[in-house]
Amino acid sequence: MEEERKLLVGLDLGEEITQMNCFDFVTYEPVPVGRMIQGERVYEIPTALAVDPARGEWYWIDDDRAAQEGMVCLNHLLKDVLQEEMIEIGKYSVESFQVIKRFLVKVLSLLTEYYPNEMIRKLVISVAEKDEKLVRYLSQTCQEIGIPQNNFVIQNHRQSYMYYAVSQPKELWGNNVGLFEWNGKEFSYSQIDIDRKTIPYIVGVSQKSLSDGIDWELLEDSGSQQKAYAFVNAANTVLHKQLVTTVYVTGKEFEKNWANDALKELCAGRRVFRGQNLFTRGACYAARELSGEGKLDHCLFLDEDMISSNVSLRVYQDAHMQDVLLAKAGSMWSEVDCSIDVIPDEEEELQLIIQDVLKHETKAHMLSLSGFSGRGNKMTRFTIRIRFADNTTCIVTLKDNGFGEFCPSSNRVWERYIDIA
């Protein structure tokens, strides 16, 4: 069954619009997946649903049936889901989890129109921020509909942006790369900085809100000319003395007429690209990389959700000492959960190796086995588990599993927190 999983899917779950891409191994690029509406493919899916309480049937919000009498419309689905465990509209109530599950199932079911006989190999869901509740709901939904935990990843927009930018032709990221995002009253700038002095390249991203200090009511009343001025002024401020030669802009605000002339001003000495599918394409590129089909081995992506160190255990294996990698730099700390079994041979401690790829430092942490004494040599099998409490705190768990019938487990568990910063 597993060999049938071929689809590499990137999905951007936005507050208003959701988009999905699937990787095409012929063009080696993401291709959009949309709905057929009145004979045309539409790729922007409203993040909203309508439900018929009497029948328990769910419809797209722009379906003709959604306007029928008695229908309950969830026009702000994502916002409603994050606010309450139960969503109540009039006399109708439904669990928040069931709402997000219904929506995700409807979106993913669109894949069957394109690829009726294929299954998802890797799904990357991109969200603005990784809200704990939303991540839990999405993870539970994926597992309930048959996508194993190793086959899906949930990442934020900054990570999707990094994957997108570095997957473009190299001349577009020869210098640093900027991104302006403007939706409603949310206006921000993100910049990718690439350290090319290391192998692999270290790719990081920083984000800055540009919303502070803006009088939104005055800006709306002033018209297009004032919006263009506000944008150009903010852009010139954040780009001042920055070696940024490629700029992307995304968000519904940039689709308005005022943006045309404003973006032309930004083009002086730079290449500027405008579009609304950056995050879904970035998620699709991430799916390609995380599935092992990628071509970005020369890059290491790092942001505040990722660990900046390789974590290895030094062991004797195959007739020589070697370091077994347990956690890789660039992994999202919340996704790391690796276990390995070892049988000590006249050893009283184990050696954990922390290699910081940013500082170019390597440290060894000794894990004492003194609490598990009283066993014959090679008569105890330990399970060492590596997790993270945050991006700089490694949790090491050591469990005594005994040695079969010869030496029963003591059920002792030893845990240690290691600061890898």
Side-chain angles (χ1 to χ4, degrees), residues 3-61:
E3 62 269 19
E4 297 178 6
R5 294 183 179 273
K6 300 178 181 179
L7 302 183
L8 307 179
V9 181
L11 188 152
D12 179 40
L13 181 61
E15 194 166 293
E16 296 183 6
I17 296 295
T18 292
Q19 297 182 74
M20 182 164 59
N21 272 237
C22 192
F23 202 78
D24 186 331
F25 284 96
V26 176
T27 63
Y28 217 64
E29 288 292 332
V31 294
V33 175
R35 297 181 297 152
M36 188 66 74
I37 300 179
Q38 296 180 350
E40 293 185 5
R41 284 286 176 186
V42 177
Y43 300 106
E44 292 190 347
I45 305 167
T47 310
L49 286 177
V51 58
D52 183 345
R55 296 184 176 89
E57 296 177 351
W58 296 75
Y59 306 99
W60 299 116
I61 199 69

Side-chain angles (χ1 to χ4, degrees), residues 341-344 372-384 398-413:
D341 286 353
V342 298
I343 300 175
F372 301 95
S373 58
R375 301 285 179 85
N377 189 41
K378 298 183 182 179
M379 294 297 289
T380 302
R381 178 171 55 89
F382 292 104
T383 296
I384 300 172
L398 190 65
K399 182 184 178 184
D400 172 17
N401 289 318
F403 202 79
E405 297 179 356
F406 299 99
C407 192
S409 170
S410 67
N411 293 318
R412 290 181 181 175
V413 177

Side-chain angles (χ1 to χ4, degrees), residues 303-309 331-334 388-394 418-421:
D303 79 349
E304 62 267 27
D305 287 334
M306 301 173 179
I307 60 174
S308 60
S309 297
S331 301
M332 287 186 279
W333 68 263
S334 58
F388 278 81
D390 53 44
N391 65 334
T392 61
T393 307
C394 179
I418 297 176
D419 184 1
I420 66 171

Side-chain angles (χ1 to χ4, degrees), residues 120 190 205 238 275 348:
I120 294 175
S190 302
V205 61
V238 297
E348 295 183 358

Side-chain angles (χ1 to χ4, degrees), residues 189 191 233-244 270:
Y189 174 72
Q191 181 168 310
N233 183 60
N236 287 334
T237 299
V238 297
L239 294 173
H240 182 59
K241 293 186 178 181
Q242 298 289 329
L243 190 58
V244 176
R270 304 184 186 93

Side-chain angles (χ1 to χ4, degrees), residues 23-277:
F23 202 78
D24 186 331
F25 284 96
V26 176
T27 63
Y28 217 64
E29 288 292 332
V31 294
V33 175
R35 297 181 297 152
M36 188 66 74
I37 300 179
Q38 296 180 350
E40 293 185 5
R41 284 286 176 186
V42 177
Y43 300 106
E44 292 190 347
I45 305 167
T47 310
L49 286 177
V51 58
D52 183 345
R55 296 184 176 89
E57 296 177 351
W58 296 75
Y59 306 99
W60 299 116
I61 199 69
D62 51 9
D63 191 300
D64 290 340
R65 288 167 291 190
Q68 294 178 359
E69 186 177 351
M71 300 294 290
V72 174
C73 295
L74 302 173
N75 293 295
H76 307 286
L77 184 149
L78 203 56
K79 182 179 179 181
D80 292 340
V81 163
L82 295 179
Q83 284 183 338
E84 302 291 343
E85 295 291 333
M86 296 290 296
I87 298 176
E88 298 184 3
I89 304 176
K91 296 181 180 180
Y92 181 73
S93 63
V94 61
E95 290 182 61
S96 295
F97 167 69
Q98 291 300 328
V99 173
I100 200 69
K101 179 180 178 180
R102 292 282 184 174
F103 182 76
L104 191 60
V105 168
K106 285 183 72 68
V107 172
L108 293 177
S109 67
L110 297 173
L111 290 167
T112 60
E113 299 180 29
Y114 294 74
Y115 314 98
N117 300 315
E118 296 184 14
M119 300 174 66
I120 294 175
R121 177 178 172 187
K122 182 69 75 172
L123 168 65
V124 175
I125 302 176
S126 179
V127 293
E129 295 294 341
K130 291 177 63 175
D131 178 90
E132 183 179 347
K133 182 179 179 182
L134 180 59
V135 169
R136 186 174 75 251
Y137 281 176
L138 293 174
S139 300
Q140 185 178 343
T141 295
C142 287
Q143 294 182 65
E144 287 190 8
I145 64 177
I147 304 176
Q149 188 169 357
N150 290 336
N151 291 57
F152 68 86
V153 171
I154 302 166
Q155 66 184 28
N156 61 38
H157 277 177
R158 292 184 300 277
Q159 293 155 356
S160 297
Y161 165 43
M162 286 193 288
Y163 277 106
Y164 177 84
V166 182
S167 295
Q168 302 308 302
K170 195 170 182 178
E171 58 266 24
L172 294 181
W173 51 277
N175 296 312
N176 296 333
V177 184
L179 168 68
F180 291 96
E181 187 177 3
W182 194 344
N183 285 298
K185 296 182 179 180
E186 296 296 327
F187 182 27
S188 64
Y189 174 72
S190 302
Q191 181 168 310
I192 291 177
D193 298 296
I194 303 174
D195 183 357
R196 296 173 181 80
K197 298 177 183 178
T198 64
I199 300 295
Y201 297 158
I202 305 297
V203 182
V205 61
S206 58
Q207 187 175 48
K208 179 180 181 181
S209 174
L210 303 179
S211 300
D212 297 340
I214 295 180
D215 188 332
W216 293 103
E217 292 185 5
L218 179 61
L219 194 61
E220 287 296 331
D221 294 340
S222 300
S224 298
Q225 187 175 356
Q226 187 63 28
K227 278 190 177 181
Y229 173 80
F231 168 70
V232 172
N233 183 60
N236 287 334
T237 299
V238 297
L239 294 173
H240 182 59
K241 293 186 178 181
Q242 298 289 329
L243 190 58
V244 176
T245 52
T246 299
V247 172
Y248 298 99
V249 298
T250 188
K252 290 299 181 182
E253 197 63 42
F254 288 113
E255 291 186 342
K256 298 178 181 179
N257 291 332
W258 68 262
N260 296 330
D261 292 334
L263 294 178
K264 288 179 182 178
E265 290 191 45
L266 206 62
C267 286
R270 304 184 186 93
R271 299 181 70 174
V272 179
F273 301 88
R274 172 170 51 175
Q276 304 303 325
N277 60 355

Side-chain angles (χ1 to χ4, degrees), residues 313-326:
L313 184 70
R314 184 155 294 172
V315 300
Y316 185 80
Q317 186 179 23
D318 298 331
H320 68 282
M321 295 299 295
Q322 57 182 292
D323 294 340
V324 177
L325 185 65
L326 302 179

